[in-house]
Amino acid sequence: MTISIPTSKIKTTNSNITVQNVWEAKRLISSVVKKTPLIYSKAISKQFGAEIYLKYEHLHESGAFKFRGAVNAIYQLTDEEKSIGVTTFSTGNHGFAVALAAKKLGIRSRICVSEHVPKAKIDAIKSLDAELEIFGNGQDDAEQRCYQLEKEQGLTVIPPFDHPHVIAGQGTIALEILEDLPSINCVIGGLSGGGLLSGIGLVMKNTNPDIGVIGVSMEKGAAMNASLKAGRPVSVVEEPSIADSLLGGIGENNQYTFNMVKQFVDQSYLIPEETIKKGMAYLYKEHRIVVEGAAAIGVGAILDNLIPVKKDSKVVIIVSGNNVDTPVHANSIKQYL
């Protein structure tokens, strides 16, 4: 299923998040968040007659792009807020990123996750001495618990996507891409809560409105895709997916990412589970990298011709993270090797 989203040419957002905010984020996080490589994929480029690159966001210390937004948000807290600590709700990657950023600052963190979060991500969070709380059947339940902790203990909530500093932090990915590939034609990334593509889309569309921004989600439980179709934020039922990082709602009171995705993302595609697994297998076979389903979904979509690739175009696919259980990865890819 494909949803085409009318893209505005206006260079600001209703939330007043600007490209300048992204540049400010880049300056602030540069001492902690290192630039990730942009890798040319020779095999897939040859297959489609285009230049296709992979942005290796799985190489962050936290194992996922979420580290950018988490560091930017936490490093801008007041001294009083730092003294009390932070909390967040997460499908795993953002929780780990917040826990890691908090540990680097020596502040308390309490991470709330749902029962759907894989063991690898839970173990990773525990390894940082963060307080971990498993609560409810989905991210919406974990979110409610976070705001309860905010009221009861004064912890500052660092949302996984719908927050100006988080969005600006993720937008630094686009600055790096443009530095390495100024002539880019299209960027493809996972679409869940929308923080990733809100930040990237903001930068890309302000640089050149003709740069395509494409979102990909799993077929079932894609909250942003359902919300775009409905014309407003809606809740969806979460179902198990190999792309578990893309699970979770966007919040019925969404303040930023829903409108930014409508403004800056051109199309949204729903991708079958088997296609996602093919992407994981391809990246392991051709690039020798082990990544989670959400990181491979864009590659799988292109391989199965679910996203059209124009000949001679320059396309960047965001490889978003590597936090996947080893048995899950092995079982997912074995039939495609």
Side-chain angles (χ1 to χ4, degrees):
M1 178 182 179
T2 306
I3 292 181
S4 295
I5 308 163
T7 304
S8 171
K9 304 298 183 182
I10 299 174
K11 296 179 184 277
T12 58
T13 71
N14 294 332
S15 53
N16 294 320
I17 303 172
T18 68
V19 176
Q20 183 177 357
N21 298 139
V22 181
W23 280 105
E24 290 171 350
K26 180 176 171 54
R27 177 193 59 80
L28 184 63
I29 71 178
S30 61
S31 63
V32 178
V33 179
K34 305 306 179 185
K35 181 179 179 180
T36 58
L38 186 67
I39 304 298
Y40 176 70
S41 182
K42 182 177 179 179
I44 196 169
S45 295
K46 183 178 180 180
Q47 181 177 343
F48 289 92
E51 292 183 29
I52 298 178
Y53 298 81
L54 307 174
K55 181 63 170 167
Y56 273 15
E57 286 296 293
H58 65 291
L59 294 183
H60 286 293
E61 187 176 352
S62 70
F65 77 94
K66 292 282 190 176
F67 195 44
R68 296 174 183 268
V71 171
N72 191 42
I74 288 179
Y75 276 36
Q76 298 196 57
L77 296 176
T78 66
D79 289 341
E80 180 180 0
E81 289 169 334
K82 290 175 184 177
S83 69
I84 300 173
V86 297
T87 183
T88 194
F89 47 100
S90 171
T91 53
N93 286 336
H94 178 70
F96 184 81
V98 168
L100 180 59
K103 185 174 183 178
K104 287 181 177 294
L105 277 180
I107 67 176
R108 176 191 176 197
S109 65
R110 188 172 184 87
I111 314 301
C112 300
V113 301
S114 78
E115 297 173 355
H116 291 297
V117 174
K119 183 176 183 298
K121 296 181 179 180
I122 289 176
D123 290 344
I125 293 170
K126 287 181 178 179
S127 72
L128 296 171
D129 300 322
E131 301 170 22
L132 179 70
E133 184 170 345
I134 300 175
F135 188 90
N137 294 316
Q139 186 162 305
D140 289 344
D141 293 335
E143 178 181 2
Q144 291 178 12
R145 177 56 179 157
C146 272
Y147 286 105
Q148 184 180 359
L149 289 169
E150 181 182 49
K151 291 180 180 179
E152 294 175 351
Q153 302 181 23
L155 297 172
T156 299
V157 177
I158 308 293
F161 52 87
D162 197 35
H163 187 282
H165 297 326
V166 172
I167 293 168
Q170 319 308 22
T172 61
I173 297 172
L175 298 180
E176 293 180 6
I177 292 173
L178 289 165
E179 180 180 13
D180 291 342
L181 189 68
S183 55
I184 179 177
N185 300 121
C186 178
V187 61
I188 300 170
L191 181 60
S192 179
L196 174 65
L197 292 187
S198 289
I200 290 177
L202 169 67
V203 174
M204 291 301 184
K205 293 298 185 181
N206 275 274
T207 300
N208 179 358
D210 292 328
I211 296 175
V213 180
I214 294 176
V216 280
S217 307
M218 64 279 156
E219 284 188 316
K220 297 180 180 179
M224 183 62 79
N225 192 283
S227 297
L228 293 170
K229 186 177 180 179
R232 59 181 176 80
V234 297
S235 298
V236 297
V237 177
E238 289 188 21
E239 299 189 32
S241 171
I242 190 65
D244 57 89
S245 292
L246 299 180
L247 293 173
I250 71 167
E252 293 187 8
N253 295 318
N254 187 289
Q255 298 181 58
Y256 304 101
T257 60
F258 177 69
N259 286 327
M260 292 182 74
V261 167
K262 283 200 304 180
Q263 185 173 0
F264 298 127
V265 177
D266 298 297
Q267 290 182 308
S268 172
Y269 293 85
L270 296 181
I271 309 302
E273 295 292 303
E274 293 304 311
T275 295
I276 301 172
K277 294 176 183 178
K278 288 179 186 178
M280 296 170 71
Y282 176 88
L283 289 172
Y284 179 75
K285 181 180 179 181
E286 298 292 340
H287 289 270
R288 292 293 184 261
I289 59 175
V290 175
V291 298
E292 59 192 271
I297 189 170
V299 170
I302 285 182
L303 291 172
D304 274 357
N305 295 300
L306 300 180
I307 297 176
V309 177
K310 294 182 180 179
K311 189 175 181 180
D312 298 324
S313 62
K314 297 180 180 180
V315 178
V316 173
I317 304 172
I318 308 299
V319 180
S320 55
N322 65 9
N323 294 310
V324 58
D325 289 335
T326 300
V328 171
H329 184 268
N331 289 332
S332 297
I333 71 172
K334 62 183 179 181
Q335 71 185 95
Y336 300 108
L337 296 179

